[in-house]
Structure formats: C-alpha cells, structure tokens
Amino acid sequence: MTPALLLWTLSVPARADVALEPDPGTRFLTHALRIEGLDAHPGYVVLAYDAGAELSTWRAFHAGAPASQELGWGGANRGPRMGAPGLHLLPRAAYDAWLAQTTATIQAQETACAERGEGCMHISRFVPSFPPPVGAVSCGLSLQVQGAGPEDGPDRVEEVLRLEAASDSTCSLARVGQELSREGKPVAAGSGARCDLVGGAASLLAGAGLLLGLGRRRRSGPPGRADGATAG
C-alpha cells in the first residue's frame, strides 16, 4: 500500500460490519473537534491522542488540514478509537518527521498482518501500534469522547477551540463553544447534549443532560483517522 493510500485509509474511521442499534432511549452521536486560528500559527501542529506508551490513532490539526475532524461515533464498532484524548502542540518539522516514521511503522505492521498474520487475527481487524511524538507540549486540555446521547438530542456535537498562542514550549487553547446538530440541522443548546472539556482539575460543560460513554458495545479493528483528510 502506498503512503498516500495508507493515509487516506487512516483518514476514514472504520464502520461496523453489522449495523448496531443504540440502547433504548438513546441515539448514536458523532463527536467532532474544530480548532480555529491554525493559519496564524503555520509552524505548529495541534495533536489529539490518548495517553499511553503506544497509540493506535490520532488527529492532527494544522494550517492546510481540515479544521474540523471527527474523534469518534458510537455507531462504529471496529477500528482504533480514542476515549479521552489530550491536546498537544508540536513544531511542524518535528511532526512531519514523526509522521514519516509512524507511516513506515504502520505500513510494516500492516504488511506483517496481511502476509503473515502477525499481530492480528485478520487484515480487516488490523490495528496499528506506535509511540506518540517525543517533545510534544501539553495544551493542558483533554476531551472525553462521547458516542451516544438522548434519543431526542443531537446526533452530532462539535467542540470548538481556538489556538491563541503557540511556541516550542507554549500552547494556549481557548474554548469558543459547542455546536449541536441533528440530521444536518442546528440544534439549540440545552437539547440534551453535553461534552466535557477538561483542563487540569476543572471541567467546562456545555448544554444540559447526560451523554452515555463511548463504545461500550464496540470491537477493535482497522485504523481510524490519523491525520485529518490530508497527509500534508
């Protein structure tokens, strides 16, 4: 698989083999993140990934990449997924070097899976494993990815942040707000949606009601989005 095709594959979160049904009284929810102000800091990349020594997926926000990217949705039941990604900042050159190495690692693992059955039961269930970038600066925020919510609530929640300051040692993200929609139409705040944005010990909540946790009924599988919809 060519690097371009691999990154395209990583950019499309995997769907379920068999359509799942949400729990009674709930609907599946797409959870997205949009970061504004990226064009003012072209030399830096904001990364979203879970904590840990090994990753299986990530999202990268930078000038030229989609400002809005999906973190997950409850209807998908296979593929790597994020639960509570932290937000980090990396110089663009360092990110490009990490991306090149990570792409090579994923390609090697995928080949081993497809040709020799190493590290996976089947290529359709391939999930990569690779280290996070070294030297990334924490932005002091993390997101709790949500996968389901009240049946009468939105089917999409998009958290909106703005990158206000970026340097090799500083990352400042400001919360702009939250956009809710159902079947492509805006939904007013207070329609039963909540998204948690955590900074240190504080939690900023938007909307009202309770969302269910992500992925109680999902299985693992092929890679999810790694670098927005573009590799550059």
Side-chain angles (χ1 to χ4, degrees), residues 56-178:
S56 62
T57 188
W58 79 95
R59 307 292 184 271
F61 301 82
H62 55 80
S68 176
Q69 298 181 36
E70 292 176 355
L71 303 178
W73 55 75
N77 73 343
R78 61 187 180 90
R81 53 192 182 272
M82 291 186 286
L87 299 174
H88 312 265
L89 187 77
L90 201 64
R92 181 60 189 266
Y95 170 73
D96 288 343
W98 175 78
L99 177 62
Q101 179 59 53
T102 298
T103 300
T105 297
I106 294 172
Q107 286 181 306
Q109 292 176 355
E110 185 181 43
T111 298
C113 168
E115 296 182 356
R116 300 185 296 277
E118 296 177 5
C120 67
M121 295 181 63
H122 188 270
I123 188 61
S124 67
R125 292 292 183 267
F126 170 68
V127 177
S129 178
F130 48 87
V134 176
V137 175
S138 173
C139 299
L141 297 174
S142 65
L143 290 165
Q144 184 67 46
V145 178
Q146 306 291 347
E151 189 173 24
D152 60 351
D155 59 19
R156 179 182 173 89
V157 174
E158 182 167 89
E159 189 74 29
V160 185
L161 307 177
R162 179 186 298 112
L163 181 60
E164 296 194 330
S167 73
D168 289 0
S169 59
T170 303
C171 175
S172 177
L173 285 169
R175 184 177 182 277
V176 176
Q178 191 179 71

